[in-house]
Each structure stands twice: as structure tokens, then as C-alpha cells.
């Protein structure tokens, strides 16, 4: 064998050895990576700081849960969809309102709302919602503050667990009750943050939990109407139910009961809009006296939980968090996205996990529902505004006859049903058929009110039930 052949064989052997070493190193690195990811998956979080029932600052929780905290911070982003959402409109700061950006005014976009709410604070200022990061700031500076709102408005616009416990000497419910009769300014002085981790999570176990006493009372009353006694979601609900209940604590329709204006949810007869009306009528409740007609009027407030409960997603067991806080991957970890936002801004993870269609197709389906809802809402609002116009004339004539009383009660009911759909955040998407039914019924009641004013012999399908 000549020298060159020996040299080539040595070279080949060296290349084989190098390749084998590189391969072994690559396999080792891969195995280490897999091991580390498995370890990450087994350890969803590491305790950097100890959390307890006094830890209300989200930035401290963020040391233990950095991915969730990053998402929480991103709720400050302002992005809108076609029919609403967070949008930054430039605002010239004043001594009364130092904000540099606000969301779009709904009453300026649709002046019929001023007629619907004439004499009530919502006719002065009502805007699109911004993200959770702004919930406390926007409530502080809304024009409705001039109407002296009750302290319980703070229940859902701030992190309230620690303040409630302090007020109640450790008892959450007693703290809630001690807000009764106070003014908003007194309550505002007690809180520091918008919604925070402690409002939805047990600081020791991270388990989801309901912390709003008004929701616990409302849900207990609703379950009792179904024959379930003593219901407590914190001990009786499934984890999937809790992924809706923690959101439903605040994304609900509420009212202020009695002269002390105690926060309450009108669910003793069920969760539908008509169930709420029946509860409010039985309680002789009213939010204000309409300035144009004298009707004892009602204002619906963001009934997301109630309308969702009438829809197909609720029947399919889909929770709020599935669409608004979908899971995502951070390394090997499965994390619930705490950047709470419209699913339309995150179709890939929010919708396509279940629906195997393109983003364009899914967006078109939602758009079709919301366009139809907006059209029906507009027609229903026209009908109620027309009734208010007729009632205003009848009031000027001094009428107090049965036809007038029936028409005022029909204004109360029709206005509430329109508002129930309008004030809900999904533009009808949470339950399209139910939203359409409510708007159709509002139109019918408004027209019956107009007939009652014109024809003394007319008998409305709805008996007079309100105060």
C-alpha cells in the first residue's frame, strides 16, 4: 500500500470520528433540551417571592408568573374591531380629566342614545370600553362621575379583595356590606390597582376563585331558582365553569337595590333579559325617572355572562377564557394568555382551535352576525325613540289615563331590552338568535305602547308590572 492511500484512509477515519462526535453532541443537546422542557412542563412556575392574601400588586405576582404578567400588561394596548373595542382617541388633558387618550364616545356616534337615557348620567358620557389596564382610570374620569355614583361602582373597576378584607376586619362579605351608603370618592381612596391577580386566583394554590360577594349572592339565587340550594361556586363548580365565573363576576348586568344602593344581580328568576325584568319589577326597582316622559326607567349594564349563557358556545361548554384567554405555548409550558381581548384580534388561537376554517372565513361569519345585529338594534332603537316622542307629547297634554300608564311601562320594558343587547360587549355574537329575539320583542313592545296612547280600548300583551 502506497503512502497516499494510507493518508486518505487516515483522513476518512478522522472525518468519521469527527462526524460521530458531532452527532453524539447533537443528540446529547437534543436530549438535554427535551429533558429541560419536560422539567418546565412539570414545574409550571417557580416561587421567587411568597404570595399571600395581602399581595395585591400584580408586579409582585409577575415575579412568579412572568408570562402571565406580560400578557396582563398588554391589556394597555388599544386595538378595536369593526363594532367596538379599545381605540385611542386623542384627548386634551384638563384639570378634571388628565387623560391623553380616550375611547370613542357611543352617544356622540348615535345621538338616539341621549333620548333613550334622557335625564340619566349615561346621556352625558358613555364610551367604548378599553382594556383592563384602563378600567379604574376611565371610571375615575368619566363624565358620569358628576352624578355622584355609589361606592359599589368600585366593585368591578378595581382590585378589591384586600380593601374588602380590611374594611371587614378580614371578612370579605362584611367589607362588601360596609361600602353600603358610602360615596364613590370614599371607595376610590381604598383601592390602588385595576383588576389584579388576587381577584381571580388563590395566592397559595393559584386555583381560580370568585371573590365578589354580589356575584356569589346572585349565582346562589339563580341556582336556587333551579332547585339547587346553598350553591357556592368556590366549592361546587367545575374548573371549566370557574373559567367563566371569574369573568362573570363583573361582566354582568347589575342594579342598585334599595335606598342604600346595595349592589345586586337580578337573577332570582333566571338569567334571561325577561327574567331580569321580572326580578326588577318585583323589587320595584328603577334607575332613574326619564326626563322626557316620566317613566321609571332601567339601565342594562354589560350583560355578557347572561347573553353568553343563552348561546351555543355556552351549551357546548366553551368558557369565557377559551376564547378571550386562549392557551399558548411558552417553551414547553402551556400558559393561559392574560392579554384579555376580543377573539377577533386573535382568531388563530381563539377560534381555529375548534373551528377548522380559514381566518378570513371565520371573520366573515362573525361580521355577518354583527352587521345583522347592528341593523336590528338600530330599528329597535328607532321604535323606542318614537314611543318616547309620543309619550313626551302625551305628558305635555297632562295625560294620566290607563293608556298613558301602560305606554310608560312598555317604554320601561322595551328600553331595557334594547339596552340589554346594546350594552353587551359582543355585538350580538354571544347569542345571535337570542339577541335578535330581544330586539324584535323591543320593537313590538314599543309599537304596542304607541297604540295604547292612541286607542283607549287596546289591551297590550304585557300587563303593567313596573313601579
Amino acid at each position: 500500500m502506497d503512502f497516499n492511500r494510507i493518508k486518505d484512509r487516515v483522513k476518512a477515519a478522522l472525518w468519521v470520528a469527527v462526524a460521530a462526535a458531532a452527532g453524539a453532541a447533537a443528540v446529547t443537546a437534543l436530549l438535554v433540551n427535551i429533558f429541560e422542557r419536560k422539567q418546565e412542563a412539570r414545574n409550571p412556575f417557580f416561587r421567587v417571592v411568597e404570595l399571600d392574601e395581602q399581595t395585591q400588586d400584580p408586579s409582585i405576582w409577575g415575579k412568579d408568573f412572568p408570562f402571565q404578567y406580560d400578557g396582563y400588561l398588554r391589556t394597555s394596548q388599544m386595538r378595536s374591531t369593526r363594532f367596538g373595542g379599545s381605540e385611542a382617541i386623542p384627548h386634551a388633558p384638563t384639570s378634571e380629566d388628565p387623560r391623553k387618550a380616550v375611547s370613542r364616545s357611543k352617544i356622540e356616534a348615535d345621538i338616539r342614545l341621549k333620548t333613550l337615557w334622557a335625564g340619566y348620567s349615561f346621556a352625558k358620557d358613555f364610551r367604548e370600553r378599553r382594556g383592563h389596564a384602563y378600567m379604574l382610570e376611565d371610571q375615575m374620569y368619566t363624565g358620569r362621575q358628576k352624578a355622584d355614583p355609589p361606592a359599589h361602582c368600585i366593585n368591578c373597576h378595581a382590585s378589591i379583595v384586600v380593601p374588602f378584607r380590611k374594611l371587614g376586619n378580614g371578612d370579605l362579605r362584611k367589607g362588601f356590606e360596609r361600602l353600603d351608603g358610602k360615596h364613590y370618592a370614599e371607595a376610590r381612596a381604598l383601592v390602588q390597582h385595576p383588576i389584579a391577580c388576587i381577584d381571580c386566583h388563590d395566592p397559595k394554590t393559584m386555583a381560580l376563585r370568585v371573590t365578589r360577594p354580589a356575584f356569589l349572592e346572585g349565582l346562589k339565587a339563580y341556582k336556587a331558582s333551579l332547585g339547587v340550594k346553598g350553591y357556592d361556586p368556590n366549592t361546587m363548580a367545575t374548573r371549566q365553569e370557574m373559567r367563566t365565573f371569574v369573568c362573570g363576576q363583573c361582566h354582568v348586568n347589575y342594579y342598585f337595590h334599595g335606598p342604600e344602593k346595595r349592589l345586586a344581580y337580578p337573577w332570582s328568576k333566571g338569567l334571561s333579559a325577561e327574567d331580569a325584568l321580572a326580578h326588577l319589577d318585583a323589587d320595584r326597582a328603577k334607575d332613574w325617572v326619564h326626563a322626557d316622559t316620566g317613566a321609571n326607567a332601567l339601565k342594562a349594564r354589560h350583560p355578557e355572562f347572561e347573553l353568553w349563557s343563552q348561546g351555543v358556545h355556552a351549551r357546548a361548554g366553551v368558557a369565557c377564557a377559551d376564547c378571550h384567554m386562549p392557551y399558548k405555548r411558552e417553551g414547553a409550558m402551556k400558559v393561559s394568555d392574560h392579554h384579555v381581548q376580543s377573539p377577533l384580534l386573535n382568531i388563530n388561537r381563539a377560534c381555529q382551535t375548534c373551528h377548522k376554517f380559514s381566518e378570513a372565513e371565520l371573520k366573515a361569519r362573525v361580521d355577518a352576525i354583527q352587521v345583522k345585529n347592528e341593523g336590528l338594534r338600530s330599528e329597535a332603537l328607532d321604535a323606542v325613540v318614537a314611543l318616547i316622542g309620543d309619550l313626551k307629547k302625551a305628558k305635555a297634554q297632562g295625560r294620566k289615563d290607563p293608556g298613558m300608564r301602560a305606554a310608560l311601562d312598555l317604554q320601561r320594558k322595551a328600553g331595557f331590552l334594547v339596552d340589554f343587547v346594546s350594552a353587551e360587549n359582543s355585538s350580538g355574537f354571544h347569542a345571535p338568535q337570542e339577541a335578535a329575539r330581544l330586539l324584535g320583542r323591543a320593537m313590538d313592545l314599543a309599537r304596542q305602547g304607541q297604540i295604547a296612547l292612541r286607542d283607549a280600548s287596546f289591551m297590550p300583551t304585557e300587563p303593567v308590572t313596573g313601579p
Side-chain angles (χ1 to χ4, degrees), residues 141-212:
Y141 298 117
T142 175
R144 299 196 298 276
Q145 282 295 342
K146 296 175 182 175
D148 191 22
H152 276 306
C153 288
I154 211 75
N155 183 79
C156 286
H157 283 265
S159 180
I160 198 69
V161 173
V162 174
F164 271 165
R165 290 195 194 283
K166 286 181 179 176
L167 271 178
N169 293 323
D171 189 311
L172 202 66
R173 190 177 298 276
K174 285 183 179 176
F176 167 75
E177 291 170 350
R178 285 177 182 166
L179 272 189
D180 290 344
K182 292 186 184 295
H183 296 289
Y184 177 81
E186 295 176 88
R188 174 63 187 86
L190 301 173
V191 301
Q192 300 178 37
H193 305 280
I195 186 81
C197 319
I198 198 169
D199 295 284
C200 302
H201 292 282
D202 184 308
K204 293 299 180 187
T205 66
M206 291 305 116
L208 292 172
R209 66 179 183 179
V210 172
T211 55
R212 278 9 184 213

Side-chain angles (χ1 to χ4, degrees), residues 56-72:
Q56 59 178 332
D57 186 342
S59 68
I60 298 175
W61 288 65
K63 294 177 181 178
D64 284 352
F65 305 97
F67 297 123
Q68 290 86 348
Y69 182 60
D70 285 347
Y72 171 85

Side-chain angles (χ1 to χ4, degrees), residues 104-138:
R104 183 173 62 91
S105 168
K106 285 191 172 185
I107 56 174
E108 296 303 327
D110 190 339
I111 60 172
R112 293 173 298 179
L113 295 175
K114 293 186 178 182
T115 302
L116 182 68
W117 301 325
Y120 199 39
S121 58
F122 281 82
K124 300 182 182 300
D125 189 13
F126 182 55
R127 295 176 180 276
E128 292 284 355
R129 287 85 169 178
R130 296 198 287 175
H132 281 166
Y134 301 103
M135 56 195 284
L136 182 55
E137 175 184 289
D138 284 351

